[in-house]
Amino acid sequence: MADADFNELPAMIPPPGHTPNFVDPETLHPAVLSVAIVCMTLMTIAVAIRVYTKAFILREMRVEEYFAIIATVGILVWDALFIDASINGFSRHLYDVRLVHVSRLSYQSYVAEITNAITMFAAKASILFQLRRIFCTGQSRDSVFWAIHILVFLSAAYYTSATFTFIFQCSPREKTWNAFIEGHCIDVAAATVVAGAVNLFLDIGILITPLWAIWHLQLPMKRKLGISAVFGVGILTCAIAAIGVAFRIPLLHDPDLTWLITKVGIWTMVEYCGTILVGCMPSFPRFFLHLRGHDLPTSSSAAGSNSHPSAGRAHAHAHSPSATSAYHSAMMQQARIKGGSSGAGIGMAVTTSEVSFGDHAYIEMEAGYGVRHSDEESTARGSGGDDADWSPLSSPK
């Protein structure tokens, strides 16, 4: 009889006017399930597009793609853990949860906290390594280069420390999910608020860095706006991260943890999704060009009011390996951009999968292709060099 009574004890004394309800309590589970399904679907589609574009269209899987895959797998695991915890009581008020179920919920929360730190680093790294490749193609060490590398260092340092902090948050470790064991723990609520604040700080840095670089280019305003729109999606992620921080603050003083953590978890899923989408956005234009059958440039796309005759001929035969060098030469003459405080040329392809920047660069701004050559690389490679290894926008092999 005593055991039966114990099983009916709530995990928290209900506030005045409330009675524990273990059968049909108020719950946030429908919201959790809906948000999880939408976010997991969007992420999976976005990463599939990114990987397909890089592996089969551009044929250049890089380290950032593998980070994106790892992050996506980690997010799917985290979402599954969160859904299961929601089913078992996380979506309820703590006074609607049986005391005997708290240990299991605490363990699931423990695993989710560790998974969150590792996964968030992979998601951030997938974006930062992508930005480094796009914006730091030359040998210069400008402010953009240092900003990106500082963000990489801060991300690695924080998420590594956060992983160990959450793993060893209690001593002994078993006290993390069993409050009846003697020992001591850190203030996990404070650590959760700090995690949200750091995520917001890094998201702002990831947003500002490419936009700052773009707006210092000597390009027409229309092109700046178009390229900024690709990277400016990060504004949504920053807004989501800010909302997530706001939902974390009540954890510092409100004991209704299951209800509050569920709200935080919902916004964490949305933030995960936004972070993955930001990293995948630069691949979307090239993928949709591929769907429209614009993998190879045509003579009509090269022949404009300012087209050079040799450029048209190069476009017409660009699919032939023997014509690649002539094609590049024609495009360099047609689309050279000079600018920057040092007189270096900076180029970009606006309508392709990604934007390319680099010192002494020449770029084609035509119908879905960008071909960039540096002065040094052109000399080293010669007229017949193959640039497929170093330019994500070079002609397909």
Side-chain angles (χ1 to χ4, degrees):
M1 183 66 181
D3 290 340
D5 293 339
F6 185 78
N7 289 335
E8 295 301 315
L9 288 176
M12 184 182 82
I13 298 175
H18 292 78
T19 303
N21 183 353
F22 303 139
V23 179
D24 186 25
E26 182 182 7
T27 177
L28 294 171
H29 182 66
V32 169
L33 194 58
S34 300
V35 172
I37 291 173
V38 171
C39 288
M40 288 191 291
T41 301
L42 290 176
M43 283 190 308
T44 303
I45 293 174
V47 172
I49 290 175
R50 178 176 179 175
V51 172
Y52 178 84
T53 301
K54 293 302 186 72
F56 299 102
I57 301 178
L58 299 175
R59 298 193 181 100
E60 54 158 19
M61 288 284 288
R62 303 292 181 95
V63 64
E64 54 262 35
E65 275 67 63
Y66 295 108
F67 269 119
I69 293 171
I70 292 171
T72 303
V73 172
I75 293 170
L76 293 176
V77 171
W78 191 93
D79 286 356
L81 287 171
F82 187 56
I83 292 172
D84 185 59
S86 175
I87 294 172
N88 292 322
F90 241 53
S91 295
R92 305 176 183 182
H93 291 285
L94 189 55
Y95 52 81
D96 289 330
V97 177
R98 287 183 170 89
L99 181 62
V100 294
H101 293 164
V102 169
S103 179
R104 177 179 177 180
L105 293 176
S106 297
Y107 185 79
Q108 289 179 309
S109 177
Y110 172 70
V111 175
E113 288 165 351
I114 299 170
T115 305
N116 175 269
I118 298 172
T119 300
M120 193 60 81
F121 170 71
K124 294 286 195 295
S126 71
I127 299 176
L128 290 169
F129 280 105
Q130 184 180 56
L131 293 179
R132 186 182 69 172
R133 181 171 56 82
I134 292 173
F135 289 90
C136 306
T137 56
Q139 298 299 319
S140 64
R141 298 293 184 265
D142 57 9
S143 56
V144 176
F145 172 90
W146 290 114
I148 292 173
H149 282 76
I150 288 172
L151 288 171
V152 171
F153 171 78
L154 291 177
S155 297
Y158 171 71
Y159 289 114
T160 299
S161 63
T163 299
F164 285 100
T165 297
F166 285 117
I167 289 176
F168 302 105
Q169 60 185 267
C170 291
S171 178
R173 197 159 55 93
E174 290 77 7
K175 184 174 175 57
T176 305
W177 55 87
N178 189 348
F180 297 103
I181 295 178
E182 290 189 8
H184 64 275
C185 299
I186 65 169
D187 189 341
V188 179
T192 302
V193 174
V194 170
V198 172
N199 282 335
L200 175 59
F201 171 77
L202 293 174
D203 286 339
I204 292 174
I206 291 172
L207 169 67
I208 292 177
T209 300
L211 295 181
W212 184 86
I214 291 166
W215 284 88
H216 278 76
L217 294 174
Q218 293 187 356
L219 289 173
M221 181 61 67
K222 183 178 180 180
R223 288 191 183 274
K224 288 184 179 181
L225 290 174
I227 301 165
S228 296
V230 175
F231 294 98
V233 178
I235 294 176
L236 295 177
T237 304
C238 292
I240 294 166
I243 296 173
V245 172
F247 274 96
R248 282 173 165 86
I249 293 176
L251 292 171
L252 298 174
H253 55 79
D254 192 333
D256 194 4
L257 296 180
T258 49
W259 186 261
L260 295 175
I261 291 176
T262 299
K263 292 182 178 180
V264 173
I266 290 173
W267 285 103
T268 300
M269 289 191 292
V270 178
E271 184 181 0
Y272 272 145
C273 183
T275 303
I276 294 297
L277 291 179
V278 167
C280 295
M281 281 293 292
S283 297
F284 289 176
R286 184 57 180 270
F287 176 76
F288 290 118
L289 284 172
H290 172 73
L291 291 183
R292 293 166 57 191
H294 291 170
D295 280 347
L296 291 175
T298 61
S299 58
S300 61
S301 65
S305 57
N306 297 322
S307 296
H308 191 281
S310 62
R313 290 194 297 272
H315 266 293
H317 300 285
H319 61 281
S320 171
S322 63
T324 301
S325 177
Y327 170 70
H328 288 176
S329 299
M331 290 304 100
M332 285 191 295
Q333 295 297 323
Q334 175 174 291
R336 182 171 182 172
I337 301 175
K338 292 185 177 181
S341 58
S342 64
I346 299 179
M348 71 178 62
V350 180
T351 57
T352 56
S353 65
E354 292 179 322
V355 184
S356 290
F357 301 82
D359 289 340
H360 312 295
Y362 302 91
I363 201 81
E364 175 204 356
M365 289 186 177
E366 297 280 340
Y369 267 75
V371 182
R372 54 182 297 280
H373 286 264
S374 68
D375 296 337
E376 296 87 349
E377 287 167 327
S378 296
T379 302
R381 293 174 182 271
S383 61
D386 181 7
D387 64 353
D389 292 336
W390 57 273
S391 174
L393 304 174
S394 56
S395 301
K397 294 181 181 179

